[in-house]
Amino acid sequence: TSMEDAGESTRGCENISDSEEDRCSENDFGTSKLGTKEFWDDAYQKELETFNDIGDVGEIWFGEESMSRVLRWMDKAKIPENAAILDIGTGNGAFLVELAKHGYKNLTGIDYSHASVELARSVLQAEKLTDVTVKEMDFLSCPKELKGFDVCIDKGTFDAISLNPVNTNEGKRQYVQALKDVLKDNGFFAITSCNWTKEQLLDRFSEGFEFVQELSTPTFQFGGKTGNSVAALIFKRVH
């Protein structure tokens, strides 16, 4: 199927209540094994073994449409082909592959899971994309040399950090600080989330970032109200 036809996959989403009083509280929703490194190491180790056996890259987080949505925005925003782009929590590297095929030449993916990094490198190698950088690195404690990016992309990583049973609130704060550190002034941040509403994300990234736009995502109707199962927002780094 083409990227346009692909549906939205929300494997691993722990959807949350959206009442006004919940919206900006520190403990926004329950923690989960999906927030642990052990879960992702195990998941990507299995996907790595499957890829080595039969060449299947595994699941694309949020589905292919989530990638084409961001790529369409990048086209409209005229992000240059030599822009420095960071894929935060790259997983199987599928988005790096799509970015490279789209013509972007300065790509870096990071993930704290060793098996994820091995899988992403294998997938890129199979696609003969040898000039894409993939690093084993925890974004929350990334080294100072990781900086100067024009665009940072997150598809589910902030969700996973928010589900970590250990130091959840500290992790969310560290994430925002790390994002400030790696992005250039006026650099863009594209986030896709299934655990946070638009309003919650606007609140979380209110300091040091300017809201640019919301990307269109699938809607559903329930009890006479229309909602989105996924939020996709673009921010700009400002001082």
Side-chain angles (χ1 to χ4, degrees):
T1 60
S2 74
M3 286 173 67
E4 296 300 323
D5 297 335
E8 195 89 20
S9 162
T10 52
R11 177 186 77 163
C13 289
E14 305 271 336
N15 281 314
I16 56 175
S17 72
D18 187 26
S19 64
E20 289 295 330
E21 61 268 23
D22 285 352
R23 211 165 253 173
C24 298
S25 69
E26 273 299 301
N27 297 305
D28 301 88
F29 45 86
T31 58
S32 157
K33 66 180 183 182
L34 294 166
T36 65
K37 186 172 183 292
E38 291 74 22
F39 174 85
W40 296 109
D41 280 337
D42 185 50
Y44 285 119
Q45 185 58 43
K46 289 190 176 109
E47 290 195 359
L48 177 61
E49 288 163 11
T50 303
F51 180 77
N52 288 338
D53 285 344
I54 60 170
D56 182 348
V57 302
E59 182 153 359
I60 295 170
W61 198 252
F62 292 120
E64 289 184 344
E65 168 58 19
S66 65
M67 299 192 291
S68 56
R69 182 187 301 128
V70 174
L71 287 166
R72 286 194 298 271
W73 165 76
M74 292 172 77
D75 284 343
K76 284 179 186 165
K78 295 184 166 55
I79 303 298
E81 287 186 350
N82 63 348
I85 299 170
L86 178 66
D87 187 19
I88 302 167
T90 198
N92 59 12
F95 209 163
L96 292 173
V97 170
E98 292 305 318
L99 287 160
K101 286 181 176 177
H102 216 72
Y104 293 104
K105 296 176 170 58
N106 188 356
L107 301 172
T108 302
I110 60 169
D111 206 295
Y112 68 177
S113 165
H114 178 73
S116 153
V117 170
E118 290 292 303
L119 175 60
R121 285 174 178 161
S122 299
V123 169
L124 288 160
Q125 196 172 3
E127 294 283 350
K128 298 184 170 53
L129 298 168
T130 53
D131 52 355
V132 178
T133 303
V134 183
K135 296 180 178 181
E136 186 178 338
M137 189 178 288
D138 185 348
F139 186 62
L140 301 188
S141 53
C142 57
K144 290 286 184 276
E145 65 262 23
L146 194 77
K147 62 182 179 183
F149 287 94
D150 298 294
V151 181
C152 287
I153 297 170
D154 180 318
K155 206 157 56 72
T157 298
F158 185 65
D159 285 354
I161 286 165
S162 306
L163 292 169
N164 190 341
V166 182
N167 295 331
T168 312
N169 297 329
E170 181 60 22
K172 286 182 280 195
R173 280 189 286 270
Q174 284 177 311
Y175 181 99
V176 175
Q177 187 56 54
L179 190 61
K180 289 178 183 176
D181 291 343
V182 300
L183 264 180
K184 284 180 184 171
D185 287 351
N186 298 314
F188 292 103
F189 171 52
I191 182 168
T192 303
S193 169
C194 64
N195 283 339
W196 299 96
T197 63
K198 174 186 175 181
E199 290 76 13
Q200 288 170 319
L201 291 170
L202 289 173
D203 180 68
R204 178 61 62 184
F205 296 98
S206 58
E207 203 175 295
F209 300 92
E210 183 181 278
F211 174 61
V212 176
Q213 73 180 96
E214 181 176 16
L215 305 184
S216 175
T217 60
T219 58
F220 64 89
Q221 287 198 308
F222 183 77
K225 289 185 177 180
T226 301
N228 296 71
S229 56
V230 173
L233 305 184
I234 307 296
F235 291 91
K236 185 160 79 171
R237 175 78 174 102
V238 293
H239 276 286

